[in-house]
Amino acid sequence: MRFTLLSQAATEAAGGTAAWVALAYLVSGVLFILALRGLSSPATSRAGNRYGMIGMTIAVVTTLLTHSIASLPEIIVALAIGGGIGFVIARKIAMTDMPQLVAAFHSLVGLAAVLVGLAAYLNPDAFGIMLPDGQINPVSRIELGLGIAIGAITFSGSVIAFLKLAGKMSGSPILLPGRHVLNLGTLLAILGLVAWFTQDQSAWVIATITVLSFIIGFLLIIPIGGADMPVVVSMLNSYSGWAAAAMGFTLHNTAMIVTGALVGSSGAILSYIMCKAMNRGFLSVIAGGFGADASAGAGGAAREQRPWKRGSAEDAAYMMKEAENVIIIPGYGMAVSQAQHALREMADVLKKEGVNVKYAIHPVAGRMPGHMNVLLAEANVPYDEVFELEDIQSEFAQADVAFIIGANDVVNPAAKTDKSSPIYGMPVFDVDKAKTIFFVKRSMGGVGYAGVDNDVFYMDQTMMLLADAKKMVEDIVKALQH
Amino acid sequence: MDFISILSIFVLACFVGYYVVWSVTPALHTPLMAVTNAISSVIVVGALVASAAAGSPSAKWLGLGAVVLASVNIFGGFAVTERMLAMYKKKEKK
């Protein structure tokens, strides 16, 4: 069965010259730019998302209209299956699970790129990359080889990131002996094979590139610890973009190239922001193993016992009710215990009492960029009460209460003073300037992901609220309503 | 299109991406990742080309597989972004 929707256009498009086809892809590329542009403010963001959807529709429809299609029913079924699965997942996923969902989605883009690359290798004529002698154009071979390699790295790397984020695999770094040599060797072998591919297009070359790239993606991510996951997720985001761009080069498709460049730079910028917020070099994150040595040291050396004060929900309720300004600092612990709704309820009661409540979010709070903002938005916290580090830093001096819930390293003053600390140089909130500090924490045992002790625990104005975050906040709400 | 024109589009698009992404508010970084996820699935174009073409059954099935994967991402990515963005609300005016 053969469907030809627009046979004339199809013949023209085969040469890639039909001007309107190119124009349609350009329009869809521009719509994708507008989709990202919309995210500059929550007010314009939804319109932006619609532009993205329109852009995607144009790209898909244009492709279907301009190719003679030998298998329309299969394609429709494939779209329906994938679309159905995607839609159901998007509906059901809990907001706390967003980091692993995004990692899972990255892996799909990566695998799709690998499949498209292999299909192009098997049927170069359909992709317009075949020379008259039946060989694949050498330039296209480089693009294909790189596209497949990046796609495969994205896939296996994202699968590991997904397993770590979903807690199906230990978040602690797994360090293989000689991993740097192994990784570098594998990467060089992949590049060498891509170069060899331009001379020899036999199947074993492309197969080996694919397999080695799957392996290197796996090797690159296993040594990276849980706290570095925001960087990893952003980095894989970037890779999925470069994979799409490489396929765009092969297909000479503007929409794919523009999108690939957008997504690639987006992920790269996010990785940069995350690294900067932790004061870590990108390379040292990628080299992995952060936290592994530090936690070993903390176990060996006897940590000095310093006095600390334990507070109760009633203490917190009383102090915050009397306060003028309260700043709440949420961290990953809030996400784990799903305390965001209870937290918003607490803020509502306080606001009724005339207290000025603000939220302070560190760029690396949570497991992916913007993770805390989404959770607070889910709990109906208005976004104009939520502030970034640099916007709220000066207000701690006027704050009566700093309420730290599930965060630790981002308030550790050692980052400012202790040059030997693994988190030295990381920008942190000046919570020590607040008159009173409430620190919600499960126990005094755990000391954050960096494995360093936190002076804030032992300060005169600090009261430790040791309990599950959600339970504690609910108790405070009860105490407030008395 | 020759390689240099394609490369020009790519390089310019990288610059556009650089400036556009820096203007994204940090509060929306998670939706940004979700939507970039959705749009990078424009790779579905390549998947459709592979599955539409006659000539190589194995290429067709690889293409169809890629269509399924990419469309999970397209529908899932846009839908989850929409869901997240709907939650961002301003303070109600008193």
Side-chain angles (χ1 to χ4, degrees), chain A residues 179-201:
Chain A
R179 63 205 152 87
H180 294 310
V181 179
L182 188 67
N183 290 353
L184 255 163
T186 316
L187 276 178
L188 288 176
I190 292 169
L191 288 177
L193 282 166
V194 171
W196 180 257
F197 191 49
T198 60
Q199 301 305 317
D200 171 10
Q201 63 167 52

Side-chain angles (χ1 to χ4, degrees), chain A residues 49-50 70-71 90 93 369 383, chain B residues 23 30 51-52 73 82-83 89:
Chain A
N49 199 34
R50 303 275 155 73
S71 48
I93 190 87
Y383 61 79
Chain B
S23 77
T30 295
S51 29
N73 242 333
E82 188 74 18
R83 210 181 120 198
K89 289 186 196 83

Side-chain angles (χ1 to χ4, degrees), chain B residues 18-82:
Chain B
Y18 180 85
Y19 288 106
V20 170
V21 171
W22 272 117
S23 77
V24 171
T25 167
L28 293 175
H29 276 162
T30 295
L32 170 69
M33 297 200 105
V35 82
T36 50
N37 229 313
I39 64 172
S40 60
S41 305
V42 72
I43 202 152
V44 74
V45 167
L48 289 171
V49 170
S51 29
S56 165
S58 37
K60 177 183 121 177
W61 286 107
L62 287 174
L64 285 171
V67 171
V68 174
L69 297 177
S71 47
V72 171
N73 242 333
I74 294 173
F75 286 83
F78 281 124
V80 86
T81 310
E82 188 74 18

Side-chain angles (χ1 to χ4, degrees), chain A residues 29-386:
Chain A
V30 170
L31 285 167
F32 290 148
I33 296 175
L34 292 176
L36 298 198
R37 178 74 195 138
L39 292 171
S40 58
S41 138
T44 55
S45 58
R46 296 183 78 183
N49 199 34
R50 303 275 155 73
Y51 289 136
M53 294 182 200
I54 298 170
M56 188 61 75
T57 313
I58 293 177
V60 170
V61 170
T62 309
T63 311
L64 288 176
L65 288 182
T66 53
H67 289 81
S68 54
I69 298 168
S71 48
L72 192 59
E74 288 99 317
I75 290 179
I76 290 172
V77 170
L79 281 170
I81 293 175
I85 296 173
F87 205 69
V88 171
I89 295 175
R91 277 286 137 124
K92 295 218 161 144
I93 190 87
M95 284 300 143
T96 34
D97 294 340
M98 276 313 291
Q100 49 267 44
L101 178 73
V102 167
F105 278 171
H106 287 154
S107 75
L108 298 184
V109 180
L111 192 56
V114 173
L115 297 183
V116 172
L118 293 177
Y121 170 77
L122 292 171
N123 195 355
D125 192 23
F127 283 73
I129 54 172
M130 196 167 74
L131 296 174
D133 63 0
Q135 295 271 308
I136 302 173
N137 178 356
V139 177
S140 304
R141 289 189 216 171
I142 297 183
E143 296 157 359
L144 269 187
L146 288 178
I148 289 177
I150 303 170
I153 294 173
T154 312
F155 172 72
S156 53
S158 301
V159 168
I160 301 297
F162 168 79
L163 292 174
K164 286 194 171 195
L165 287 165
K168 292 182 166 60
M169 183 178 162
S170 157
S172 52
I174 298 169
L175 304 172
L176 298 177
R179 63 205 152 87
H180 294 310
V181 179
L182 188 67
N183 290 353
L184 255 163
T186 316
L187 276 178
L188 288 176
I190 292 169
L191 288 177
L193 282 166
V194 171
W196 180 257
F197 191 49
T198 60
Q199 301 305 317
D200 171 10
Q201 63 167 52
S202 13
W204 73 266
V205 186
I206 200 85
T208 317
I209 292 175
T210 314
V211 172
L212 283 182
S213 306
F214 279 132
I215 294 174
I216 189 74
F218 173 79
L219 290 177
L220 279 174
I221 307 302
I222 53 163
I224 304 183
D228 283 337
M229 275 302 147
V231 182
V232 171
V233 176
S234 318
M235 184 184 81
L236 292 165
N237 184 238
S238 179
Y239 288 177
S240 69
W242 304 131
M247 290 303 148
F249 273 90
T250 307
L251 279 167
H252 293 194
N253 184 299
T254 323
M256 285 167 87
I257 295 170
V258 171
T259 316
L262 285 178
V263 179
S265 21
S266 165
I269 290 172
L270 290 177
S271 320
Y272 170 79
I273 295 175
M274 294 302 116
C275 285
K276 215 170 156 231
M278 295 192 292
N279 191 39
R280 309 212 32 222
F282 184 67
L283 280 178
S284 81
V285 172
I286 299 310
F290 187 55
D293 321 328
S295 54
R303 211 157 1 105
E304 63 173 306
Q305 291 291 321
R306 286 188 277 173
W308 49 276
K309 284 196 291 284
R310 184 173 188 150
S312 68
E314 286 73 27
D315 298 333
Y318 176 75
M319 294 294 288
M320 287 197 280
K321 211 183 221 169
E322 300 299 313
E324 207 171 314
N325 295 305
V326 172
I327 300 178
I328 300 172
I329 300 141
Y332 185 58
M334 179 195 81
V336 173
S337 85
Q338 299 265 21
Q340 65 269 30
H341 298 279
L343 193 63
R344 198 257 309 147
E345 220 180 300
M346 183 184 96
D348 281 352
V349 180
L350 289 174
K351 279 193 273 180
K352 264 194 215 121
E353 300 282 338
V355 183
N356 184 9
V357 182
K358 286 179 176 172
Y359 298 82
I361 308 229
H362 195 277
V364 290
R367 280 292 178 274
M368 73 185 292
H371 192 188
M372 290 299 125
N373 302 78
V374 171
L375 294 181
L376 292 179
E378 186 198 13
N380 275 323
V381 172
Y383 61 79
D384 35 7
E385 287 177 10
V386 182

